[in-house]
Each structure stands twice: as structure tokens, then as C-alpha cells.
């Protein structure tokens, strides 16, 4: 049966001891280390081989905690702070603890994968604080814990910050035939705090694990260059669009005489155009921010060129904990989904930028300065009468959205009073007439002409932006396609659920916080992280108490004996009267390793005849209790001593 996160199982054993005839622990450890190192050198992978730490069949209970697998990495066991204890050799001892010697390891481990070294950089703070714990207080009880734990073996990742380890997968990409030159600088799997724990007590197993988080990080100079590439494209667009708009707008401004109020003809001339195309400013907020996919798991930072995958977000609740035994949280399925999401984010970037640039182009400021002149009475009254300014946007100009509020007319002194005198209207009426005439006779035809003559916004923007994005996707393609075969990560690893042995041999149970495999499809070595293993004898308390003799006189002594109690426990024995009142208590009676105790009790002189009961209760497990009656007889002779 499996033991999931914070799960409990009752083991169905076929034997109370490990397989007999195994090698002594020390020799087997040495053999395992040599054998594993040989396999690494030859590139072989051992499946189902004897564990480096196996039980010799005589330990009764056994606990082993290993944060980092020394064999898989070819390390000295002493440097990884393994904690191991068994009841036979360590009965009565305090629990064993161990801490990884990060300094001795140089802070970097190297996993050999098909001749390629995969560096694993340890976070000195977290790994140095992490430890291993092993305790075997009873033949029927064993506890092991590994990772970020407290001094008594409890998982404690709440205060951990930073990463447990960073696994550099860049070199492994070469094994998949991927050329990352100029495209990928680094691919890392960042693992945060890890821990596991397991306790077996009388055949009942409780296990737990924690992986505080995992991030897959891809540093891409090609992604980082996207901002510069797009900025260059847009800078070119600014210049091109400015020239295009100048030519088309100026070419479509009617330079003709407009009719004002049916009383005056005003000649429009000398158009001056101002166009402020600034697409780069619109582009900057997009390129300086982060792009996030629909799942929330993938984020692309265009300013740094980093693609970040928060593996937790791939799972309901945003956590990698509480998952079933042997759950692959990074497998071909998850990595394929990540590849798709990265592609979708970047593909959508082109459309997003087109929308942003289109909006910016529509908001481009357009100002048109015109001069209006008149000639009356055969030229006797002639000259400039008004300066006209149209202040609008390209979008409004193309969509007929220019209103009288966008037109400003300034009447010029000089011939103005003469003109007003001839046509017989006031200055304000002339001003309003000019605005209406400009709107109808200048802006209207200009809009119609531009709609026909000016290229569409899509044509103005062209495919420069999408072309840059498509080029990036093509460059990233081989790396993204290779991700599903690059790495796998499994949490809550329980070998026995897969039909394999625990790390302490037959009938032992092992839980690992995580197991990392680089190039899983190539049969590469799996690296266990934070492994906790236990074995303990099955035991079910079946307490029985007897009192001998069963009948005594005051002043005589009875022997109170118990069997079926927890080995090496302590009981308190109470003597009760018929009403359940405590007559006397014998405290701290020791139970031996076979669950047996014996103690004597002398009936006090002068005790009246009575039916008494001896009750023996386990001090730590009050539910383990048993009782036996005995009788204090009446002394009818008065002279039993003769």
C-alpha cells in the first residue's frame, strides 16, 4: 500500500525481519559505492540493484536519512551528512542527525549524464541548514527525516528562502543535438526547499514530503535582443510613416477658394503640415514588461531575455505538495505544454504589438496650418484675412471625426474692417462662417482623398514587427522542441509503489521529496533528493496481567506480572479496591524488550479482607492497559506465622 503526503498505511508483512544472509552494513555500503561509481564511468544505469544501504536482518528497527545520494554523484558519504540508526546497535541512544558539508563539496555537485557533466549548485544557506535525522527508540518504531527539518525531525520549510539547488541543464541540450549558440545561454531547473519524513510504528507507516517550489529558467539572448530588434523596426517605421503622411496629406489638401456665408470667397494657400509619429513610446511599456501565458505558469521578461516557468502553477492550488505517490511534475506532457505556451505568448506578441502600434498611429497628432486671403472690388481690397489651424489626430482625420472644436481661425487686422464693411457682417459671424467653410470645403475633401490615397494602417505598419517575432520563434524552435526530453522531476517518490525495494531492503519503506532525471529518454541516472527510509518490527500490544498468588493474607507479597506490552516501555501499576478507589500505586515499572514486566506488592498489615484489582497502564500509551483481580483473605487463625 502507498503512503501519500501525510498519509498512513498499515504494512502487510510476510516476515518481521529483513532478508537473512545480507552483507554487514559497512561492507555493503562500500560495495554499493564502488559498484555505482563503476556504472557511472561506463555509462550504465542500474535498475533494481541492491541499495547502498541495506539491512542485515538483525537490526529489528532501522532508520536512514539521505539528503543527497552520495552514490549517484560519486561522493564521500561523510560529506552528505547521512543519518542512520538501528535498534540493535543503538538502543537507548539519542537520535542521530547529520548535516551536508557544503564547504567540503565546494558548493557544486556534478551529475555524469552520458559523459556530459551536469552541474548542480547548492544554496549554502538552505542546504547547510538542512539536515538528516534517524531515530529507532524501539524495535517496533523508527523515524527518518531529511531536508529542511527541525532538530526533532519535523519538516520545517516555512522559514526557508532561496533555492535548495540549481541544476544547470545547458550542456545536456547538446546530447539532444541542439545548437544553442546565440539563442540560449542557460537552462536551469531551480529547486526550492525539499524535505521528507517517515515514521513506522508497529506496522503503521506515516510519511510526508515537501517541495517548496520548482522553476525552469531559460536565459535567451535572442529573447533579450527582441526589444532592440523591434525598437529598430519601429524607429524605421517612424521615419517612413512621417514621410508617407507628409506626402499624402499635403497632396490631398484642397488649395482652392472657399465660400464663406455666400458673401465672401476666401482663397486657401500655403499649407504647412505637422505630423508627430512616435510609435517607440507606445512600444516601450510592452517591451519593458513581462508577458504571461494563460495558465500563469510561463512568464517571459523581454527586458532580460528570461523565460521563467513556475512549475507549481501547472497544478491545481499552485502547489507541488499533497500529490499522489510517484507523481511526475515535469514530464514530456508538462514540458510539451510549456513549449506550446511559450510559442503562444511570443506568437501573440506580434498581434499585441500590431494593436498597440495601430492605436498609436491613430493617435498620431496632425496639425495643418493654412492662410486665407481675399480680393474685393477688383483688387482694391486684397490681402490675408485669416490664419487657420486644424489640430486633430490621424485617426479622426481618416474616420471623419474632425469637428469645429478642432479648427481655430484667427482674423487678421489690416483689411479686416474694410472687408466687414463691404460684406455687411460682424467679425464673429465671419469667424464662424470661416470655421464652417473649412470643415466642409477643406477637411471633408481631405478625408475623402486620404481614405483613397493613403495606405491602410496595416500596410503602413507592414510585417516588420511580426517578421522579427517569427524569426525569434524559428531560432527558439529546436530548444523548445527538445525540452520534453531534457529533464523529468517526480515528487513524493515511493519505490515500493513501483514494485521496487526501499533503501533498507525488503519490507522497508522509503519516501523521497523528489527525484530528478536528466535526459530521461536516454536511460540516464536518477538523482534522489531528501530520502527517508525506515524498517520496524510489526507489533500490536496485547497486554495481559496476572497476580500470584491470587489469594493472600495481609502482610504477604504478591507478584504482579505483565506480558504483551510495548517493548522497552514503562507502566504504572495501581491497586484498586472494589469501588475503584486507588489503594496504592507502583510507578515507573520497566517493561523489557520482550514486552514483559514483573513487580511485587506487599499487602499492608491490618488490611481488611477485600477483593482488589491490579491495573497496569503504559505511561505513554494509556490505551495499553490490563488488569487482574486478587483477594485479601480474612485471617481466621490469628497465628499464620506458626
Amino acid at each position: 500500500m502507498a503512503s501519500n503526503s501525510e498519509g498512513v498505511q498499515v504494512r502487510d508483512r510476510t516476515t518481521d525481519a529483513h532478508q537473512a544472509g545480507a552483507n554487514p552494513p559497512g561492507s555493503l555500503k562500500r560495495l554499493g559505492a564502488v559498484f555505482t561509481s563503476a556504472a557511472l564511468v561506463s555509462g550504465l544505469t542500474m535498475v533494481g540493484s541492491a541499495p547502498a544501504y541495506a539491512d542485515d536482518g538483525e537490526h529489528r528497527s532501522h532508520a536512514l536519512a539521505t539528503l543527497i545520494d552520495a552514490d549517484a554523484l560519486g561522493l564521500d558519504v561523510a560529506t552528505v551528512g547521512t543519518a542512520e540508526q538501528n535498534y540493535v546497535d543503538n538502543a537507548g541512544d539519542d537520535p542521530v542527525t547529520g548535516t551536508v558539508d557544503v564547504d567540503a563539496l565546494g558548493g557544486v555537485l556534478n551529475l555524469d549524464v552520458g559523459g556530459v557533466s551536469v552541474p548542480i549548485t547548492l544554496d549554502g544557506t538552505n542546504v547547510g541548514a538542512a539536515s538528516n535525522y534517524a531515530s529507532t527508540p524501539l524495535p517496533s518504531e523508527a523515524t527518518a527525516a531529511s531536508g529542511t527539518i527541525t532538530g526533532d525531525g519535523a519538516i520545517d520549510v516555512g522559514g526557508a528562502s532561496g533555492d535548495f539547488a540549481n541544476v544547470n541543464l545547458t550542456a545536456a541540450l547538446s546530447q539532444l543535438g541542439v545548437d544553442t549558440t546565440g539563442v540560449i545561454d542557460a537552462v536551469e531547473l531551480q529547486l526550492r526547499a525539499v524535505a521528507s519524513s517517515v515514521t513506522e510504528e508497529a506496522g503503521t507507516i506515516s510519511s510526508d514530503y515537501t517541495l517548496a517550489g520548482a522553476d525552469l529558467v531559460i536565459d535567451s539572448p535572442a529573447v533579450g535582443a527582441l526589444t532592440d530588434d523591434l525598437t529598430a523596426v519601429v524607429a524605421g517605421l517612424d521615419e517612413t510613416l512621417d514621410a508617407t503622411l507628409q506626402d499624402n496629406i499635403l497632396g490631398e489638401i484642397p488649395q482652392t477658394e472657399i465660400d464663406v456665408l455666400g458673401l465672401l470667397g476666401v482663397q486657401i494657400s500655403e499649407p504647412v503640415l505637422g505630423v508627430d509619429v512616435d510609435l517607440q513610446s507606445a512600444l516601450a511599456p510592452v517591451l519593458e514588461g513581462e508577458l504571461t501565458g494563460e495558465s500563469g505558469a510561463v512568464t517571459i521578461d523581454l527586458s532580460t531575455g528570461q523565460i521563467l516557468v513556475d512549475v507549481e502553477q501547472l497544478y491545481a492550488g499552485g502547489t507541488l505538495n499533497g500529490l499522489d505517490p510517484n507523481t511526475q511534475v515535469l514530464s514530456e506532457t508538462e514540458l510539451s505544454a510549456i513549449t506550446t505556451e511559450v510559442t503562444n505568448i511570443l506568437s501573440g506578441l506580434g498581434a499585441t504589438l500590431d494593436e498597440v502600434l495601430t492605436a498609436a498611429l491613430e493617435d498620431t497628432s496632425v496639425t495643418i496650418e493654412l492662410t486665407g486671403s481675399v480680393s474685393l472690388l477688383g483688387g482694391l481690397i486684397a490681402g490675408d484675412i485669416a490664419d487657420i489651424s486644424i489640430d486633430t489626430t490621424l485617426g479622426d482625420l481618416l474616420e471623419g471625426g474632425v469637428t469645429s472644436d478642432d479648427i481655430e481661425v484667427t482674423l487678421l487686422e489690416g483689411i479686416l474692417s474694410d472687408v466687414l464693411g463691404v460684406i455687411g457682417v460682424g467679425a464673429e459671424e465671419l469667424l464662424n462662417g470661416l470655421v464652417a467653410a473649412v470643415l466642409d470645403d477643406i477637411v471633408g475633401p481631405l478625408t475623402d482623398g486620404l481614405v483613397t490615397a493613403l495606405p491602410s494602417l496595416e500596410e503602413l505598419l507592414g510585417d516588420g514587427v511580426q517578421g522579427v517575432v517569427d524569426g525569434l520563434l524559428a531560432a527558439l524552435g529546436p530548444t523548445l522542441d527538445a525540452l520534453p526530453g531534457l529533464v523529468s522531476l517526480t515528487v513524493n517518490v515511493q519505490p515500493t509503489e513501483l514494485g521496487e525495494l526501499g533503501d533498507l531492503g525488503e519490507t522497508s519503506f522509503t519516501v523521497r521529496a523528489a527525484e530528478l532525471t536528466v535526459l530521461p529518454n536516454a536511460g540516464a541516472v536518477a538523482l534522489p533528493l531528501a530520502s527517508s527510509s525506515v524498517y520496524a518490527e510489526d507489533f500490536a500490544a496485547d497486554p495481559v496481567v496476572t497476580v500470584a498468588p491470587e489469594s493472600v493474607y495481609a502482610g504477604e507479597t504478591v507478584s504482579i506480572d505483565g506480558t504483551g506490552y510495548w517493548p522497552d516501555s514503562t507502566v504504572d501499576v495501581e491497586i484498586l479496591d472494589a469501588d475503584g478507589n486507588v489503594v496504592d500505586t507502583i510507578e515507573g515499572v520497566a517493561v523489557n524488550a520482550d514486552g514483559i514486566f514483573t513487580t511485587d506488592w506487599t499487602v499492608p498489615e491490618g488490611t481488611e479482607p477485600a477483593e482488589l484489582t491490579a491495573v497496569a497502564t503504559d505511561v505513554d500509551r494509556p490505551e495499553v492497559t490490563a488488569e487482574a483481580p486478587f483477594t485479601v483473605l480474612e485471617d481466621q487463625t490469628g497465628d499464620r506465622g506458626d
Side-chain angles (χ1 to χ4, degrees):
M1 296 177 64
S3 174
N4 61 12
S5 174
E6 298 183 354
V8 175
Q9 75 176 68
V10 177
R11 183 190 305 232
D12 181 15
R13 295 191 189 277
T14 57
T15 176
D16 284 342
H18 293 279
Q19 185 177 12
N23 293 317
S27 63
L28 189 53
K29 291 176 188 176
R30 288 192 294 272
L31 176 62
V34 172
F35 204 31
T36 305
S37 297
L40 288 172
V41 171
S42 63
L44 298 175
T45 301
M46 295 183 295
V47 179
S49 60
Y53 302 89
D55 192 75
D56 62 4
E58 299 177 357
H59 287 152
R60 304 196 68 181
S61 64
H62 200 162
L64 171 68
T66 308
L67 179 61
I68 299 170
D69 191 296
D71 290 343
L73 295 166
L75 301 174
D76 181 354
V77 173
T79 62
V80 298
T82 295
E84 185 174 10
Q85 188 176 78
N86 71 80
Y87 181 77
V88 169
D89 295 332
N90 308 109
D93 291 352
D94 291 334
V96 175
T97 59
T99 300
V100 175
D101 191 340
V102 178
D103 292 336
L105 294 172
V108 179
L109 310 176
N110 287 286
L111 181 64
D112 191 323
V113 181
V116 173
S117 180
V118 175
I120 302 173
T121 304
L122 301 176
D123 185 310
T125 301
N126 282 331
V127 177
S131 58
N132 296 303
Y133 174 96
S135 175
T136 52
L138 298 171
S140 54
E141 183 177 343
T143 296
S146 179
T148 306
I149 58 177
T150 63
D152 59 1
I155 292 177
D156 182 28
V157 300
S161 61
D163 297 329
F164 163 70
N166 292 344
V167 184
N168 192 323
L169 301 167
T170 313
L173 277 173
S174 64
Q175 295 293 91
L176 298 174
V178 179
D179 181 7
T180 61
T181 305
V183 179
I184 301 294
D185 278 345
V187 178
E188 286 189 344
L189 180 61
Q190 299 176 348
L191 302 175
R192 292 192 279 279
V194 296
S196 71
S197 67
V198 60
T199 294
E200 179 169 3
E201 188 171 6
T204 299
I205 297 174
S206 302
S207 74
D208 196 6
Y209 80 98
T210 294
L211 174 56
D215 295 328
L216 184 66
V217 181
I218 302 173
D219 288 323
S220 170
V223 173
L226 183 65
T227 297
D228 290 340
D229 293 343
L230 288 174
T231 300
V233 168
V234 171
L237 280 175
D238 279 348
E239 297 175 3
T240 301
L241 289 172
D242 191 86
T244 300
L245 293 174
Q246 288 276 357
D247 292 343
N248 282 274
I249 293 176
L250 285 175
E252 295 298 326
I253 294 176
Q255 297 188 46
T256 184
E257 185 177 274
I258 59 175
D259 178 53
V260 179
L261 301 174
L263 301 173
L264 179 67
V266 177
Q267 179 67 42
I268 299 299
S269 61
E270 302 178 12
V272 177
L273 177 65
V275 179
D276 183 16
V277 180
D278 186 12
L279 302 183
Q280 293 189 64
S281 296
L283 196 66
V286 179
L287 299 183
E288 293 171 1
E290 294 182 344
L291 308 176
T292 302
E294 290 185 5
S295 72
V298 179
T299 300
I300 300 177
D301 189 335
L302 297 178
S303 65
T304 63
Q306 187 177 87
I307 301 172
L308 175 66
V309 181
D310 184 348
V311 180
E312 292 177 285
Q313 297 304 316
L314 297 173
Y315 290 85
T319 179
L320 299 177
N321 302 311
L323 301 178
D324 290 338
N326 304 305
T327 298
Q328 278 193 292
V329 295
L330 271 185
S331 65
E332 287 194 14
T333 299
E334 286 78 19
L335 289 166
S336 294
I338 289 168
T339 294
T340 299
E341 186 145 329
V342 170
T343 302
N344 289 342
I345 292 173
L346 292 176
S347 297
L349 176 61
T352 299
L353 292 178
D354 276 350
E355 292 177 5
V356 169
L357 294 176
T358 297
L361 192 57
E362 290 176 343
D363 290 339
T364 294
S365 173
V366 177
T367 59
I368 304 172
E369 303 292 342
L370 304 169
T371 300
S373 59
V374 297
S375 179
L376 298 174
L377 303 177
L380 291 178
I381 302 175
D384 295 339
I385 193 173
D387 287 336
I388 303 167
S389 176
I390 304 170
D391 190 356
T392 185
T393 64
L394 181 61
D396 283 345
L397 198 56
L398 290 173
E399 296 168 7
V402 180
T403 69
S404 59
D405 292 335
D406 301 319
I407 301 173
E408 182 178 349
V409 175
T410 302
L411 297 177
L412 303 177
E413 296 294 336
I415 64 170
L416 177 60
S417 58
D418 294 335
V419 171
L420 294 176
V422 171
I423 62 176
V425 298
E428 183 175 353
E429 188 175 357
L430 174 61
L431 186 68
N432 292 334
L434 272 169
V435 169
V438 168
L439 195 60
D440 292 339
D441 298 338
I442 301 297
V443 175
L446 174 59
T447 293
D448 294 339
L450 282 179
V451 169
T452 302
L454 194 67
S456 68
L457 293 178
E458 291 78 7
E459 291 173 323
L460 287 171
L461 292 174
D463 61 357
V465 171
Q466 190 61 52
V468 171
V469 173
D470 289 345
L472 174 61
L473 284 171
L476 287 176
T479 299
L480 296 178
D481 292 343
L483 283 183
L486 181 61
V487 64
S488 72
L489 181 67
T490 305
V491 299
N492 195 15
V493 179
Q494 297 181 19
T496 52
E497 275 294 283
L498 303 174
E500 302 171 2
L501 295 178
D503 287 355
L504 291 173
E506 284 191 27
T507 69
S508 70
F509 178 88
T510 295
V511 60
R512 315 190 200 286
E515 190 169 83
L516 172 73
T517 306
V518 181
L519 304 181
N521 298 331
V525 177
L527 179 63
L529 298 172
S531 299
S532 300
S533 303
V534 292
Y535 163 79
E537 293 178 354
D538 286 343
F539 179 81
D542 186 18
V544 175
V545 171
T546 59
V547 178
E550 294 181 354
S551 299
V552 294
Y553 293 97
E556 293 185 337
T557 298
V558 295
S559 176
I560 303 171
D561 302 302
T563 61
Y565 282 79
W566 275 85
D568 296 313
S569 61
T570 301
V571 299
D572 288 341
V573 179
E574 293 181 327
I575 308 300
L576 307 180
D577 65 17
D579 294 326
N581 299 313
V582 178
V583 175
D584 197 2
T585 301
I586 308 169
E587 296 182 341
V589 178
V591 180
N592 68 17
D594 295 317
I596 298 171
F597 75 86
T598 185
T599 189
D600 293 335
W601 184 70
T602 300
V603 182
E605 293 286 352
T607 300
E608 296 293 328
E611 296 294 327
L612 301 179
T613 302
V615 180
T617 303
D618 189 313
V619 172
D620 296 322
R621 306 169 185 84
E623 73 277 5
V624 180
T625 186
E627 62 185 48
F630 64 100
T631 303
V632 178
L633 300 173
E634 181 180 359
D635 185 359
Q636 296 180 343
T637 67
D639 191 18
R640 287 181 291 103
D642 294 338

